Amino acid sequence: MGSPPRGCGSSGPTARTSSARSSMLTGQYPRTHGAIANGVPLPDDAPSVARVLGDAGYRTALIGKVHFEPIADPDGRWEQNRIPMAGEHGPYRGFEYVEFAGHGPQGASHYGGWLREEHPESTGGFLRIFSAAPGGDTGAPGVARNPVPREHYHTDWVADRTMAWLDTLDDDDDWFCWMSFPDPHHPWDVPASEAGRFDWRELDLPPGHPGSDERIREILAGRPEHWLAWYDGSVPNIDAAPGDFVPADLTHDQIREINALVHAKNELLDEAFGRVIAKIGERGWGDDTDVFVTTDHGEFQGELGLLYKGPYHVDALMRLPLVWRPAPSAGVAPAVVPEPVGQIDLAPTFCAVAGVPVPEWMEGSPLPAAPGSGRERAIVEWDSQLDTGHRLRTIVQDGWICTVYEPTDRDYGMPKATGTPASGCCHRSGRSCTTAARASCTAWPTTRTSGSTGGTIPRRPTCGPAWCRTCTSTCPRFVSPGSVRRPWGDPSGTGRTPAGVPGPSGLRAGGRRYFGGSRTPASTRNTSPLT
């Protein structure tokens, strides 16, 4: 890369795609820019660092995955979907030129359209992004042997299209390019020709895996109740995982196979990224180009026996890889910066590299060039657009993670997810007191339809008043609709929750330390020294 890189771990302002990418673009926290969840679009008038750089004379492009707006949009209501459907290439949110890619041929993207039109024979092996269909050697969820040729896979396509855009520039152009690879995101449907790069049989379980189902349950039982509820299948993590995925069903070998495919995806990314760096060198720009490699969010990858992501603030999802290789011409000494930084700091850094004043609306600040910056903390948020979701606020400081679950309306979160009114059962989510009744209840379904395969699968053990009132009608502590509502743990109706009693969803603040991450490379160019 011309000179040693500078590396530091960054924290995302949120562990989800749209919100994090919007923070990279705006330099703002999700609560400021408004894209708080994947189904909530970034407002059309949101500020953009690409627009700032474009106004300063930079040529700008975004090539690859975008996701500033909802992707479930067959009518092209949102601009990121309308543009490829119309065969256009921008402008878009300050970017002069855009070419979008998704995780396969599904949906609206330039890559999907190219694959369907030019190589229709290569479209059939991709899984849908939230498919948990079993595949591979171990029947792992979301795994498929994809017959697509490597050169038709989205990783190489994004690199090819980035190099094609670079070839449209004049030698003396200043430019900013966000090159955004969809991988190593799920599903794990890497080209079959590349799937054997790593033998899953030779891999260890990740360090954060407790080693047994019993130990996983013991750990998760000491955390807010939605952790164990997702693990055992009582409540699906529909915010960020396939609805029919049950972590407790995962085998150790399935985790190993998935991680072997993640490694293969990362090697393909390394090779594709290297080709783009080589192109930059061929154009004579290598000494004046700043390169940033980072990601939008992490992945469990088997830590705590879990996959995917969600409202679970641990290092596996929040602590992200970040490598910044300053332009060699800037003469910046290599360093590892241990202080906490965040994705909101990227946009201000791009401005600093370009010699452009950092706008007041950016809430981050330029990344430190050496240790000793005095930075102490990073803030991470999680908001759900669903009434079965959660709202988390996390501070990362001094090696600790402290998460507060925000008070919400009393029907929000776990009570809604389980079908048990928050003013209802004295046991968490009604599960403890309904076990015996459920066993003899003919109204409780024993099977359900899989969202990914269409087949019939067993339903996990949970129920609630969403099905019937049989269990709660005989409970003297159950507060029926229309009765006075009482705070959780307050059968006296005084309006106060006794000390030590969990809140409405049994949620507590806590801290743990784990590690994980994935990547979405980006690069910028600057013709003047870094300041």
Side-chain angles (χ1 to χ4, degrees), residues 15 129-130 141 184-188 206 230 240-242 245 250 255 258-259 262 295-310 312 314-321 514-519:
I129 191 168
F130 279 110
H185 201 283
H186 61 84
W188 299 283
W230 177 36
F245 167 68
L250 277 174
I255 293 172
I258 287 171
N259 282 337
V262 171
T295 186
D296 48 4
H297 57 76
E299 225 284 353
F300 274 116
Q301 289 184 229
E303 294 201 15
L304 294 172
L306 305 173
L307 287 179
Y308 305 101
K309 58 183 182 295
Y312 312 95
V314 292
D315 270 14
L317 303 186
M318 299 188 303
R319 185 176 181 180
L320 312 175
Y514 304 98
F515 177 76
S518 56
R519 292 177 295 176

Short mmCIF file of all heavy atoms in Angstrom, two decimals, residues 15 129-130 141 184-188 206 230 240-242 245 250 255 258-259 262 295-310 312 314-321 514-519:
data_model
loop_
_atom_site.label_atom_id
_atom_site.label_comp_id
_atom_site.label_asym_id
_atom_site.label_seq_id
_atom_site.Cartn_x
_atom_site.Cartn_y
_atom_site.Cartn_z
N ALA A 15 -25.44 -0.67 15.50
CA ALA A 15 -25.01 -1.94 14.92
C ALA A 15 -25.98 -2.40 13.84
O ALA A 15 -26.39 -3.55 13.80
CB ALA A 15 -24.90 -3.00 16.02
N ILE A 129 -31.45 -12.42 1.31
CA ILE A 129 -30.57 -11.96 2.37
C ILE A 129 -30.99 -12.48 3.74
O ILE A 129 -30.15 -12.75 4.60
CB ILE A 129 -30.49 -10.42 2.37
CG1 ILE A 129 -29.37 -9.95 3.31
CG2 ILE A 129 -31.82 -9.79 2.74
CD1 ILE A 129 -29.02 -8.50 3.15
N PHE A 130 -32.28 -12.69 3.98
CA PHE A 130 -32.71 -13.21 5.27
C PHE A 130 -33.17 -14.66 5.17
O PHE A 130 -34.03 -15.11 5.92
CB PHE A 130 -33.82 -12.34 5.87
CG PHE A 130 -33.27 -11.12 6.55
CD1 PHE A 130 -33.46 -9.85 6.00
CD2 PHE A 130 -32.55 -11.22 7.72
CE1 PHE A 130 -32.95 -8.73 6.63
CE2 PHE A 130 -32.04 -10.10 8.36
CZ PHE A 130 -32.23 -8.85 7.81
N PRO A 141 -27.50 -22.69 8.46
CA PRO A 141 -28.49 -21.74 7.94
C PRO A 141 -27.83 -20.68 7.07
O PRO A 141 -26.75 -20.18 7.39
CB PRO A 141 -29.09 -21.13 9.21
CG PRO A 141 -28.02 -21.29 10.24
CD PRO A 141 -27.35 -22.59 9.92
N PRO A 184 -18.50 -9.14 3.83
CA PRO A 184 -18.85 -10.55 4.07
C PRO A 184 -20.17 -10.77 4.79
O PRO A 184 -20.32 -11.69 5.59
CB PRO A 184 -17.68 -11.02 4.93
CG PRO A 184 -17.33 -9.82 5.75
CD PRO A 184 -17.55 -8.63 4.84
N HIS A 185 -21.14 -9.98 4.51
CA HIS A 185 -22.49 -10.07 5.07
C HIS A 185 -23.13 -11.42 4.74
O HIS A 185 -22.77 -12.08 3.76
CB HIS A 185 -23.31 -8.93 4.44
CG HIS A 185 -24.52 -8.52 5.19
ND1 HIS A 185 -25.67 -9.26 5.18
CD2 HIS A 185 -24.77 -7.42 5.95
CE1 HIS A 185 -26.60 -8.64 5.90
NE2 HIS A 185 -26.07 -7.53 6.38
N HIS A 186 -24.10 -11.84 5.57
CA HIS A 186 -24.92 -12.99 5.21
C HIS A 186 -25.79 -12.65 4.00
O HIS A 186 -26.02 -11.47 3.74
CB HIS A 186 -25.80 -13.41 6.40
CG HIS A 186 -26.77 -12.35 6.86
ND1 HIS A 186 -28.01 -12.17 6.29
CD2 HIS A 186 -26.68 -11.42 7.84
CE1 HIS A 186 -28.65 -11.19 6.89
NE2 HIS A 186 -27.86 -10.70 7.84
N PRO A 187 -26.29 -13.61 3.23
CA PRO A 187 -26.11 -15.06 3.38
C PRO A 187 -24.72 -15.49 2.92
O PRO A 187 -24.03 -14.76 2.22
CB PRO A 187 -27.20 -15.64 2.48
CG PRO A 187 -27.37 -14.62 1.41
CD PRO A 187 -27.17 -13.29 2.08
N TRP A 188 -24.35 -16.69 3.32
CA TRP A 188 -23.02 -17.19 3.04
C TRP A 188 -23.06 -18.06 1.78
O TRP A 188 -22.97 -19.29 1.83
CB TRP A 188 -22.51 -17.94 4.27
CG TRP A 188 -22.45 -17.00 5.45
CD1 TRP A 188 -21.49 -16.05 5.69
CD2 TRP A 188 -23.39 -16.87 6.51
NE1 TRP A 188 -21.78 -15.35 6.84
CE2 TRP A 188 -22.94 -15.83 7.37
CE3 TRP A 188 -24.59 -17.54 6.84
CZ2 TRP A 188 -23.64 -15.44 8.52
CZ3 TRP A 188 -25.28 -17.15 7.97
CH2 TRP A 188 -24.80 -16.12 8.79
N PRO A 206 -15.11 -19.69 17.73
CA PRO A 206 -14.61 -18.36 18.08
C PRO A 206 -14.36 -18.25 19.58
O PRO A 206 -15.01 -18.94 20.39
CB PRO A 206 -15.74 -17.43 17.62
CG PRO A 206 -16.95 -18.29 17.53
CD PRO A 206 -16.47 -19.64 17.14
N TRP A 230 -34.42 -15.00 22.33
CA TRP A 230 -34.04 -15.24 20.94
C TRP A 230 -33.29 -16.56 20.82
O TRP A 230 -33.54 -17.35 19.91
CB TRP A 230 -33.17 -14.08 20.42
CG TRP A 230 -32.68 -14.29 19.02
CD1 TRP A 230 -33.36 -14.89 17.99
CD2 TRP A 230 -31.41 -13.91 18.49
NE1 TRP A 230 -32.58 -14.90 16.85
CE2 TRP A 230 -31.38 -14.30 17.13
CE3 TRP A 230 -30.29 -13.27 19.02
CZ2 TRP A 230 -30.28 -14.08 16.31
CZ3 TRP A 230 -29.20 -13.04 18.19
CH2 TRP A 230 -29.21 -13.44 16.86
N ALA A 240 -33.26 -8.04 12.88
CA ALA A 240 -31.97 -8.16 12.20
C ALA A 240 -31.55 -9.59 11.89
O ALA A 240 -30.38 -9.84 11.61
CB ALA A 240 -30.88 -7.51 13.05
N ALA A 241 -32.48 -10.55 11.92
CA ALA A 241 -32.15 -11.93 11.62
C ALA A 241 -33.36 -12.60 10.98
O ALA A 241 -34.49 -12.12 11.12
CB ALA A 241 -31.73 -12.68 12.89
N PRO A 242 -33.16 -13.71 10.28
CA PRO A 242 -34.31 -14.44 9.73
C PRO A 242 -35.29 -14.81 10.83
O PRO A 242 -34.90 -15.25 11.92
CB PRO A 242 -33.67 -15.68 9.10
CG PRO A 242 -32.26 -15.28 8.80
CD PRO A 242 -31.87 -14.34 9.90
N PHE A 245 -34.98 -18.37 12.25
CA PHE A 245 -33.68 -18.83 12.73
C PHE A 245 -33.69 -18.94 14.25
O PHE A 245 -34.07 -18.00 14.95
CB PHE A 245 -32.58 -17.87 12.29
CG PHE A 245 -31.27 -18.11 12.99
CD1 PHE A 245 -30.54 -19.26 12.75
CD2 PHE A 245 -30.78 -17.19 13.91
CE1 PHE A 245 -29.34 -19.49 13.41
CE2 PHE A 245 -29.57 -17.40 14.57
CZ PHE A 245 -28.86 -18.56 14.31
N LEU A 250 -28.15 -24.28 16.33
CA LEU A 250 -26.84 -24.28 15.68
C LEU A 250 -25.94 -25.37 16.27
O LEU A 250 -25.86 -25.53 17.49
CB LEU A 250 -26.14 -22.93 15.87
CG LEU A 250 -26.48 -21.79 14.92
CD1 LEU A 250 -25.78 -20.53 15.40
CD2 LEU A 250 -26.07 -22.12 13.51
N ILE A 255 -21.27 -23.55 12.85
CA ILE A 255 -20.56 -22.29 13.12
C ILE A 255 -19.21 -22.30 12.43
O ILE A 255 -18.79 -21.31 11.82
CB ILE A 255 -20.42 -22.08 14.63
CG1 ILE A 255 -21.79 -21.82 15.27
CG2 ILE A 255 -19.47 -20.91 14.92
CD1 ILE A 255 -21.77 -21.79 16.78
N ILE A 258 -19.68 -21.76 8.62
CA ILE A 258 -20.02 -20.37 8.30
C ILE A 258 -18.78 -19.49 8.40
O ILE A 258 -18.52 -18.65 7.52
CB ILE A 258 -21.13 -19.87 9.24
CG1 ILE A 258 -22.46 -20.51 8.84
CG2 ILE A 258 -21.24 -18.35 9.20
CD1 ILE A 258 -23.58 -20.26 9.82
N ASN A 259 -17.98 -19.66 9.43
CA ASN A 259 -16.78 -18.83 9.57
C ASN A 259 -15.75 -19.13 8.49
O ASN A 259 -15.02 -18.22 8.05
CB ASN A 259 -16.18 -19.02 10.96
CG ASN A 259 -16.94 -18.23 12.02
OD1 ASN A 259 -17.61 -17.26 11.70
ND2 ASN A 259 -16.84 -18.65 13.26
N VAL A 262 -16.89 -17.06 5.70
CA VAL A 262 -16.57 -15.65 5.96
C VAL A 262 -15.12 -15.37 5.62
O VAL A 262 -14.78 -14.35 5.01
CB VAL A 262 -16.87 -15.29 7.43
CG1 VAL A 262 -16.34 -13.89 7.77
CG2 VAL A 262 -18.38 -15.35 7.71
N THR A 295 -16.15 -0.70 8.15
CA THR A 295 -17.39 -1.43 7.95
C THR A 295 -18.55 -0.69 8.58
O THR A 295 -18.35 0.30 9.29
CB THR A 295 -17.29 -2.84 8.55
OG1 THR A 295 -18.46 -3.58 8.23
CG2 THR A 295 -17.18 -2.77 10.07
N ASP A 296 -19.77 -1.18 8.32
CA ASP A 296 -20.94 -0.56 8.93
C ASP A 296 -21.31 -1.21 10.26
O ASP A 296 -21.75 -0.54 11.18
CB ASP A 296 -22.14 -0.54 7.97
CG ASP A 296 -22.39 -1.89 7.31
OD1 ASP A 296 -21.70 -2.86 7.63
OD2 ASP A 296 -23.29 -1.95 6.44
N HIS A 297 -21.15 -2.52 10.39
CA HIS A 297 -21.48 -3.19 11.64
C HIS A 297 -20.76 -4.53 11.71
O HIS A 297 -20.21 -5.02 10.72
CB HIS A 297 -23.00 -3.41 11.78
CG HIS A 297 -23.59 -4.20 10.64
ND1 HIS A 297 -23.45 -5.57 10.52
CD2 HIS A 297 -24.34 -3.82 9.57
CE1 HIS A 297 -24.07 -5.99 9.45
NE2 HIS A 297 -24.61 -4.95 8.84
N GLY A 298 -20.76 -5.13 12.88
CA GLY A 298 -20.14 -6.42 13.06
C GLY A 298 -21.12 -7.56 12.91
O GLY A 298 -22.27 -7.38 12.48
N GLU A 299 -20.69 -8.76 13.31
CA GLU A 299 -21.49 -9.98 13.18
C GLU A 299 -21.11 -10.90 14.35
O GLU A 299 -19.96 -10.97 14.75
CB GLU A 299 -21.15 -10.68 11.86
CG GLU A 299 -22.32 -11.17 11.04
CD GLU A 299 -22.98 -12.45 11.57
OE1 GLU A 299 -22.46 -13.06 12.52
OE2 GLU A 299 -24.01 -12.82 11.01
N PHE A 300 -22.10 -11.61 14.90
CA PHE A 300 -21.79 -12.52 16.01
C PHE A 300 -20.84 -13.64 15.58
O PHE A 300 -19.92 -13.99 16.31
CB PHE A 300 -23.09 -13.13 16.55
CG PHE A 300 -23.77 -12.29 17.59
CD1 PHE A 300 -25.02 -11.74 17.36
CD2 PHE A 300 -23.15 -12.05 18.80
CE1 PHE A 300 -25.66 -10.97 18.32
CE2 PHE A 300 -23.77 -11.27 19.78
CZ PHE A 300 -25.03 -10.74 19.53
N GLN A 301 -21.08 -14.25 14.42
CA GLN A 301 -20.22 -15.33 13.92
C GLN A 301 -19.99 -16.44 14.95
O GLN A 301 -18.92 -17.02 15.02
CB GLN A 301 -18.88 -14.78 13.45
CG GLN A 301 -18.97 -13.97 12.17
CD GLN A 301 -17.63 -13.50 11.65
OE1 GLN A 301 -17.45 -12.34 11.32
NE2 GLN A 301 -16.66 -14.40 11.58
N GLY A 302 -20.99 -16.73 15.74
CA GLY A 302 -20.90 -17.82 16.70
C GLY A 302 -20.57 -17.40 18.11
O GLY A 302 -20.62 -18.23 19.02
N GLU A 303 -20.20 -16.15 18.33
CA GLU A 303 -19.94 -15.72 19.70
C GLU A 303 -21.24 -15.81 20.50
O GLU A 303 -22.32 -15.46 20.02
CB GLU A 303 -19.39 -14.30 19.73
CG GLU A 303 -18.02 -14.20 19.10
CD GLU A 303 -17.25 -12.98 19.54
OE1 GLU A 303 -17.66 -12.35 20.54
OE2 GLU A 303 -16.23 -12.66 18.91
N LEU A 304 -21.12 -16.34 21.72
CA LEU A 304 -22.28 -16.60 22.58
C LEU A 304 -23.27 -17.55 21.93
O LEU A 304 -24.43 -17.62 22.31
CB LEU A 304 -22.98 -15.29 22.97
CG LEU A 304 -22.16 -14.35 23.86
CD1 LEU A 304 -22.85 -13.02 24.02
CD2 LEU A 304 -21.92 -14.99 25.22
N GLY A 305 -22.82 -18.28 20.91
CA GLY A 305 -23.69 -19.21 20.22
C GLY A 305 -24.68 -18.55 19.30
O GLY A 305 -25.68 -19.18 18.91
N LEU A 306 -24.43 -17.31 18.89
CA LEU A 306 -25.38 -16.54 18.10
C LEU A 306 -24.83 -16.25 16.71
O LEU A 306 -23.63 -16.33 16.46
CB LEU A 306 -25.70 -15.22 18.82
CG LEU A 306 -26.22 -15.35 20.26
CD1 LEU A 306 -26.34 -13.97 20.90
CD2 LEU A 306 -27.57 -16.07 20.29
N LEU A 307 -25.74 -15.88 15.81
CA LEU A 307 -25.40 -15.41 14.45
C LEU A 307 -26.14 -14.11 14.18
O LEU A 307 -27.06 -13.73 14.90
CB LEU A 307 -25.79 -16.44 13.39
CG LEU A 307 -24.96 -17.72 13.25
CD1 LEU A 307 -25.56 -18.59 12.15
CD2 LEU A 307 -23.50 -17.41 12.95
N TYR A 308 -25.77 -13.46 13.10
CA TYR A 308 -26.41 -12.22 12.63
C TYR A 308 -26.12 -11.08 13.62
O TYR A 308 -25.05 -11.02 14.22
CB TYR A 308 -27.90 -12.43 12.40
CG TYR A 308 -28.20 -13.58 11.46
CD1 TYR A 308 -28.61 -14.82 11.95
CD2 TYR A 308 -28.02 -13.45 10.08
CE1 TYR A 308 -28.87 -15.88 11.09
CE2 TYR A 308 -28.28 -14.50 9.21
CZ TYR A 308 -28.69 -15.72 9.72
OH TYR A 308 -28.94 -16.77 8.87
N LYS A 309 -27.07 -10.17 13.80
CA LYS A 309 -26.89 -9.02 14.69
C LYS A 309 -28.23 -8.71 15.31
O LYS A 309 -29.18 -9.48 15.16
CB LYS A 309 -26.35 -7.82 13.89
CG LYS A 309 -27.24 -7.37 12.73
CD LYS A 309 -26.59 -6.24 11.96
CE LYS A 309 -27.47 -5.72 10.82
NZ LYS A 309 -27.68 -6.73 9.78
N GLY A 310 -28.34 -7.59 16.02
CA GLY A 310 -29.60 -7.23 16.63
C GLY A 310 -29.39 -6.31 17.82
O GLY A 310 -28.32 -5.72 17.99
N TYR A 312 -28.25 -6.14 20.69
CA TYR A 312 -27.35 -6.82 21.63
C TYR A 312 -26.01 -6.10 21.56
O TYR A 312 -25.20 -6.38 20.67
CB TYR A 312 -27.20 -8.29 21.26
CG TYR A 312 -28.51 -8.98 20.98
CD1 TYR A 312 -29.01 -9.09 19.69
CD2 TYR A 312 -29.28 -9.49 22.03
CE1 TYR A 312 -30.22 -9.69 19.44
CE2 TYR A 312 -30.49 -10.10 21.79
CZ TYR A 312 -30.96 -10.20 20.49
OH TYR A 312 -32.17 -10.80 20.24
N VAL A 314 -22.63 -5.69 22.22
CA VAL A 314 -21.36 -6.27 22.63
C VAL A 314 -20.33 -5.97 21.55
O VAL A 314 -20.66 -5.54 20.45
CB VAL A 314 -21.48 -7.80 22.85
CG1 VAL A 314 -22.36 -8.09 24.06
CG2 VAL A 314 -22.04 -8.48 21.62
N ASP A 315 -19.07 -6.24 21.86
CA ASP A 315 -18.00 -5.91 20.93
C ASP A 315 -18.17 -6.58 19.57
O ASP A 315 -17.77 -6.02 18.55
CB ASP A 315 -16.65 -6.31 21.53
CG ASP A 315 -16.02 -5.18 22.34
OD1 ASP A 315 -16.74 -4.22 22.65
OD2 ASP A 315 -14.84 -5.28 22.65
N ALA A 316 -18.70 -7.80 19.55
CA ALA A 316 -18.85 -8.50 18.28
C ALA A 316 -19.62 -7.68 17.26
O ALA A 316 -19.36 -7.75 16.06
CB ALA A 316 -19.55 -9.85 18.50
N LEU A 317 -20.55 -6.86 17.72
CA LEU A 317 -21.36 -6.04 16.82
C LEU A 317 -20.92 -4.60 16.76
O LEU A 317 -21.12 -3.93 15.74
CB LEU A 317 -22.84 -6.11 17.25
CG LEU A 317 -23.47 -7.49 17.33
CD1 LEU A 317 -24.96 -7.37 17.63
CD2 LEU A 317 -23.25 -8.28 16.05
N MET A 318 -20.32 -4.09 17.81
CA MET A 318 -20.02 -2.65 17.88
C MET A 318 -18.58 -2.31 17.57
O MET A 318 -18.30 -1.23 17.04
CB MET A 318 -20.36 -2.12 19.27
CG MET A 318 -21.80 -2.24 19.69
SD MET A 318 -22.12 -1.37 21.24
CE MET A 318 -20.94 -2.17 22.34
N ARG A 319 -17.65 -3.18 17.94
CA ARG A 319 -16.23 -2.85 17.78
C ARG A 319 -15.78 -3.26 16.38
O ARG A 319 -15.76 -4.44 16.04
CB ARG A 319 -15.38 -3.56 18.83
CG ARG A 319 -13.93 -3.16 18.79
CD ARG A 319 -13.15 -3.83 19.91
NE ARG A 319 -11.76 -3.43 19.90
CZ ARG A 319 -10.86 -3.86 20.77
NH1 ARG A 319 -11.22 -4.72 21.72
NH2 ARG A 319 -9.61 -3.46 20.70
N LEU A 320 -15.43 -2.29 15.58
CA LEU A 320 -15.25 -2.50 14.14
C LEU A 320 -13.80 -2.28 13.72
O LEU A 320 -13.09 -1.44 14.28
CB LEU A 320 -16.14 -1.52 13.36
CG LEU A 320 -17.59 -1.43 13.83
CD1 LEU A 320 -18.32 -0.35 13.05
CD2 LEU A 320 -18.29 -2.77 13.70
N PRO A 321 -13.35 -3.00 12.71
CA PRO A 321 -12.02 -2.73 12.17
C PRO A 321 -11.99 -1.39 11.44
O PRO A 321 -12.94 -1.03 10.76
CB PRO A 321 -11.79 -3.89 11.20
CG PRO A 321 -13.16 -4.33 10.80
CD PRO A 321 -14.03 -4.10 12.00
N TYR A 514 -16.33 -8.29 23.92
CA TYR A 514 -16.14 -9.29 22.88
C TYR A 514 -15.54 -8.60 21.67
O TYR A 514 -15.39 -7.39 21.63
CB TYR A 514 -17.46 -9.98 22.51
CG TYR A 514 -18.13 -10.59 23.69
CD1 TYR A 514 -19.16 -9.93 24.35
CD2 TYR A 514 -17.71 -11.81 24.19
CE1 TYR A 514 -19.75 -10.48 25.47
CE2 TYR A 514 -18.30 -12.37 25.31
CZ TYR A 514 -19.33 -11.70 25.94
OH TYR A 514 -19.91 -12.24 27.04
N PHE A 515 -15.22 -9.37 20.64
CA PHE A 515 -14.62 -8.77 19.46
C PHE A 515 -15.17 -9.42 18.21
O PHE A 515 -15.42 -10.62 18.18
CB PHE A 515 -13.10 -8.94 19.45
CG PHE A 515 -12.46 -8.39 18.20
CD1 PHE A 515 -12.30 -7.04 18.04
CD2 PHE A 515 -12.07 -9.24 17.19
CE1 PHE A 515 -11.73 -6.52 16.89
CE2 PHE A 515 -11.49 -8.73 16.03
CZ PHE A 515 -11.32 -7.37 15.88
N GLY A 516 -15.39 -8.63 17.15
CA GLY A 516 -15.81 -9.16 15.85
C GLY A 516 -15.86 -8.03 14.85
O GLY A 516 -15.68 -6.87 15.19
N GLY A 517 -16.16 -8.35 13.60
CA GLY A 517 -16.29 -7.28 12.62
C GLY A 517 -16.28 -7.78 11.20
O GLY A 517 -16.01 -8.93 10.92
N SER A 518 -16.62 -6.89 10.29
CA SER A 518 -16.60 -7.15 8.86
C SER A 518 -16.19 -5.87 8.16
O SER A 518 -15.81 -4.90 8.81
CB SER A 518 -17.98 -7.62 8.40
OG SER A 518 -18.96 -6.68 8.73
N ARG A 519 -16.27 -5.84 6.82
CA ARG A 519 -15.65 -4.70 6.14
C ARG A 519 -16.49 -4.16 4.99
O ARG A 519 -17.20 -4.88 4.32
CB ARG A 519 -14.29 -5.10 5.57
CG ARG A 519 -13.27 -5.38 6.62
CD ARG A 519 -12.00 -5.83 5.99
NE ARG A 519 -12.20 -7.10 5.31
CZ ARG A 519 -11.26 -7.70 4.61
NH1 ARG A 519 -10.09 -7.15 4.49
NH2 ARG A 519 -11.49 -8.85 4.03
#
